Amino acid sequence: MTDEQHVLRPTYTRAGVRAVAPRFTLPDAEMEPTSAYQVVHDEVMLDGNSRLNLATFVATWMGDEADRLYAEVYDKNMVDKDEYPRTAAVEENCWRILASLWNVPDVKACIGTSTIGSSEACMLGGLALKRRWQLARRAAGKPADRPNLIMSSAVQVCWEKFCNYFEVEARYVPITEEHPCLDGSDLEKYVDENTIGVVAIMGVTYTGMYEPVQEIAAALDALQERTGLDVPIHVDGASGAMIAPFLQPEIEWDFRLERVHSISTSGHKYGLVYPGVGWVVWRTLDALPEELIFRVSYLGGNMPTLALNFSRPGAQVLLQYFQFLRLGREGYTAIQQECQDVAKYLAHGIEALGAFELWNDGSDIPVFAWRLKPGHTENWDLYHLSDRLRMKGWLVPAYPMPDNLADLTVQRIVVRNGVSRDLADDLLEDIRVETEWLDGLTSPMPAEGRRSGFHH
């Protein structure tokens, strides 16, 4: 068959498309590029609609100019600072902008880096805490082989990974009805001379609530006065670090608190950039031990690198700078405020249905959770409501709370840029309709095979 005949042949009659695509072995022959495109394009049609995914924090919309810029710079390698020096300069611009946003004492005397996402940023923050502790212990002639890190039981799984991968004992402070997040109470039960730091979360993944960093710092100040133990804080600001500066500037959670040594965030969450990019900043140069910075010769140049990953996309870093320039403080404030307004609109609309109790209402980050009212029904639960909504395209996860609250199931909605008031109203109507349908059941829904479709 000639090339002209192949082009004219209808797409779904071509040899590559007529066969079942191989799943686990490399095909022997080539496939015409438009056929390969069509196979993969059709494959991902089976995914959910990302705009209707209210489980994820990750940005799903940026706009035409950002899409065009992305297409122009997708080939840039962030680590190759010799070949792409302007991209490297933009990376530094971004983390210094964030340092300033987070009230660092001296923007010229801090240090930071981009990462693939906030999980990598958390790993780097944790490593810096561990290494500083080890260096201090060895200098004092003390053993440095039993480090521990204190965090809420509602911490994101990346911190569990950090403790596992880097051999740090994880000490979890359980959340309860009385203490729904880490708030500084009872810290003396967990801190000892082997504690490398405390993780405070600005926007708990389970519920969206801020942990009160100022109260945690005050508790550690009091503990130091009594015991002499000087314990630093890393703020995991995956979402809240890009919300609080714009919506709650009066909250002191950042480098205004001397005990905060480092802050991480997700550029691809409320930083409003496509996945994946994260950021971490240390308040001073000595907060990041020099031995964690590698200075390597790579592709003709000498460059420092302190990320876990090496070659990685530069495009998202450029997109982050685009958003900083495009939106500024005014634009970020407007977007985050609208997200919060929509979250509160949804939260109070769901509460008004009568079947649910709010865990929180989106007043921190634009995220809220609710539970089924005790005694409302024995015929269905939130997993069944989640399944009913999924049939209409909505991904609204149901899952158990951690540890001491493991018997409590909640549902959660994340309102991102692009979840409009009109779209929210459609969702609210679907929740109302499906709740009424479930309330109309005369016998219990099946519980077999029921499971959370979402993991933290």
Side-chain angles (χ1 to χ4, degrees):
M1 182 183 298
T2 66
D3 289 343
E4 183 179 359
Q5 289 173 317
H6 189 81
V7 170
L8 292 175
R9 189 168 181 177
T11 299
Y12 289 99
T13 67
R14 297 174 189 169
V17 184
R18 291 177 67 193
V20 175
R23 299 289 194 258
F24 308 117
T25 58
L26 191 68
D28 294 326
E30 298 178 20
M31 185 184 293
E32 199 275 330
T34 58
S35 297
Y37 165 83
Q38 199 65 51
V39 168
V40 178
H41 174 84
D42 290 356
E43 189 79 22
V44 298
M45 286 196 306
L46 299 173
D47 280 340
N49 183 334
S50 63
R51 294 285 299 281
L52 300 182
N53 182 358
L54 302 182
T56 184
F57 288 78
V58 176
T60 55
W61 183 88
M62 284 193 70
D64 293 342
E65 294 83 5
D67 292 350
R68 186 165 71 249
L69 178 62
Y70 201 172
E72 294 169 356
V73 299
Y74 62 80
D75 59 336
K76 293 186 184 293
N77 183 356
M78 188 65 254
V79 79
D80 189 357
K81 293 176 171 59
D82 183 62
E83 185 68 23
Y84 307 113
R86 298 316 304 162
T87 300
V90 165
E91 178 192 30
E92 182 173 345
N93 292 349
C94 287
W95 62 255
R96 290 198 188 276
I97 287 171
L98 289 169
S100 176
L101 189 69
W102 298 333
N103 297 294
V104 76
D106 184 352
V107 75
K108 295 181 180 178
C110 64
I111 188 169
T113 184
S114 68
T115 58
I116 289 295
S118 63
S119 292
E120 182 188 1
C122 289
M123 300 279 177
L124 292 171
L127 276 173
L129 293 177
K130 179 182 177 181
R131 192 58 57 88
R132 287 184 81 255
W133 174 83
Q134 288 177 320
L135 291 171
R137 296 280 291 181
R138 289 166 183 159
K142 298 179 179 179
D145 59 340
R146 298 179 62 189
N148 66 71
L149 182 66
I150 297 169
M151 64 200 89
S152 161
S153 62
V155 77
Q156 211 270 350
V157 71
C158 71
W159 288 105
E160 299 178 42
K161 289 183 177 181
F162 166 76
C163 290
N164 187 337
Y165 296 165
F166 296 102
E167 298 182 317
V168 174
E169 177 194 350
R171 293 188 175 178
Y172 298 111
V173 179
I175 66 170
T176 64
E177 294 272 3
E178 296 74 28
H179 300 281
C181 61
L182 181 68
D183 57 13
S185 62
D186 295 334
L187 272 180
E188 66 276 2
K189 297 179 181 178
Y190 300 88
V191 173
D192 60 25
E193 64 179 359
N194 294 318
T195 300
I196 65 174
V198 172
V199 175
I201 310 170
M202 286 296 285
V204 174
T205 308
Y206 283 83
T207 61
M209 297 175 67
Y210 289 153
E211 293 185 337
V213 185
Q214 190 172 24
E215 292 179 24
I216 295 169
L220 291 172
D221 289 343
L223 185 66
Q224 184 177 3
E225 288 184 10
R226 295 195 303 271
T227 66
L229 297 173
D230 185 7
V231 179
I233 293 174
H234 174 87
V235 176
D236 180 353
S239 295
M242 293 304 298
I243 296 290
F246 305 109
L247 298 191
Q248 303 102 356
E250 73 283 356
I251 298 177
E252 293 192 15
W253 63 274
D254 53 17
F255 291 124
R256 285 171 286 183
L257 303 172
E258 290 188 17
R259 202 165 287 278
V260 173
H261 281 212
S262 50
I263 301 173
S264 56
T265 196
S266 281
H268 62 225
K269 292 179 181 174
Y270 288 97
L272 308 180
V273 175
Y274 291 133
V277 61
W279 302 94
V280 58
V281 176
W282 289 267
R283 69 179 296 121
T284 57
L285 295 175
D286 62 0
L288 175 67
E290 174 66 25
E291 60 189 68
L292 292 182
I293 303 174
F294 287 79
R295 303 183 186 280
V296 299
S297 176
Y298 184 65
L299 298 180
N302 186 278
M303 51 155 287
T305 176
L306 54 96
L308 297 177
N309 290 291
F310 210 58
S311 294
R312 52 195 171 88
Q316 283 85 350
V317 169
L318 297 172
L319 288 175
Q320 184 73 84
Y321 192 49
F322 163 83
Q323 288 289 51
F324 287 163
L325 294 177
R326 162 73 180 86
L327 297 173
R329 186 178 290 272
E330 182 180 10
Y332 267 97
T333 301
I335 288 173
Q336 314 301 37
Q337 186 63 66
E338 179 61 19
C339 288
Q340 188 181 76
D341 290 346
V342 171
K344 288 183 174 181
Y345 172 76
L346 276 168
H348 296 301
I350 290 170
E351 184 180 39
L353 295 176
F356 310 106
E357 288 181 349
L358 294 179
W359 185 263
N360 60 310
D361 71 349
S363 295
D364 291 337
I365 63 174
V367 174
F368 67 96
W370 68 91
R371 56 183 169 185
L372 197 60
K373 277 185 177 179
H376 176 74
T377 182
E378 296 295 327
N379 287 342
W380 60 275
D381 56 30
L382 294 181
Y383 295 103
H384 298 124
L385 177 58
S386 181
D387 287 343
R388 297 291 301 179
L389 292 173
R390 185 179 288 265
M391 287 190 285
K392 292 191 172 182
W394 302 104
L395 274 68
V396 182
Y399 50 83
M401 294 287 277
D403 293 345
N404 289 21
L405 295 175
D407 292 335
L408 172 62
T409 297
V410 299
Q411 272 189 287
R412 191 199 67 196
I413 283 177
V414 178
V415 177
R416 304 180 308 279
N417 187 28
V419 180
S420 66
R421 191 74 60 100
D422 189 67
L423 199 61
D425 200 60
D426 290 341
L427 171 61
L428 198 56
E429 176 64 11
D430 283 340
I431 292 175
R432 183 191 65 78
V433 168
E434 297 309 323
T435 300
E436 288 181 357
W437 187 90
L438 289 164
D439 276 343
L441 294 171
T442 57
S443 59
M445 286 282 282
E448 291 78 9
R450 183 182 59 187
R451 63 180 179 84
S452 172
F454 182 74
H455 302 280
H456 292 279

